[in-house]
Amino acid sequence: VQLVESGGDSVQAGGSLTLSCSASGHTYSTNCLGWFRQAPGTKHEGVAAMTTDGDHTYVADSVKGRFSISQGNARNVVQRRMKTLKPEDTATYYCAAPKGNGGFCHARISDGDFAYWGLGTQVTVS
């Protein structure tokens, strides 16, 4: 599974951004696409996830109410909308997918459960 993120940018606090993740390859081998973020010197933090059929979406408590996740306009594209951005949202945001269908898709996704990763897209909030 290959994952490519896009949409990162530098924005003012209070602004909004939409990140996209495009999945290709053996996408049938996974049932979940997740978003993580990582600020310098910190571990990956899971922020949102969605089953690949689009039926179930999950958002971490830490960003609930500001972040959402949904299917994009094209097949195998997942979008994550972020609003009311804060400086502490500054991080590299990664799209990831687990191998298999082992129930890894939920609000508290863990990076250890995700085998496939994109290169990340930078979000800077000032």
Side-chain angles (χ1 to χ4, degrees):
V1 178
Q2 291 80 48
L3 303 168
V4 179
E5 306 93 339
S6 61
D9 205 349
S10 296
V11 297
Q12 297 286 330
S16 302
L17 273 180
T18 297
L19 305 184
S20 294
C21 172
S22 178
S24 60
H26 299 296
T27 56
Y28 57 82
S29 64
T30 184
N31 71 338
C32 180
L33 288 175
W35 282 97
F36 292 82
R37 65 182 180 184
Q38 186 176 31
T42 68
K43 297 179 180 180
H44 287 117
E45 176 191 6
V47 294
M50 188 181 79
T51 53
T52 53
D53 59 10
D55 286 349
H56 301 284
T57 61
Y58 308 93
V59 178
D61 288 342
S62 61
V63 297
K64 191 168 290 184
R66 298 192 300 120
F67 288 14
S68 63
I69 186 169
S70 63
Q71 282 189 314
N73 293 329
R75 183 181 173 82
N76 291 333
V77 174
V78 172
Q79 291 186 324
R80 190 166 60 78
R81 296 176 179 83
M82 309 183 294
K83 64 180 183 180
T84 321
L85 285 162
K86 305 175 182 179
E88 50 264 42
D89 295 318
T90 295
T92 301
Y93 284 75
Y94 297 91
C95 180
K99 184 179 292 185
N101 303 316
F104 304 119
C105 218
H106 48 72
R108 295 183 178 180
I109 52 175
S110 172
D111 58 356
D113 293 329
F114 284 68
Y116 307 107
W117 291 79
L119 296 179
T121 187
Q122 179 67 34
V123 172
T124 302
V125 185
S126 60

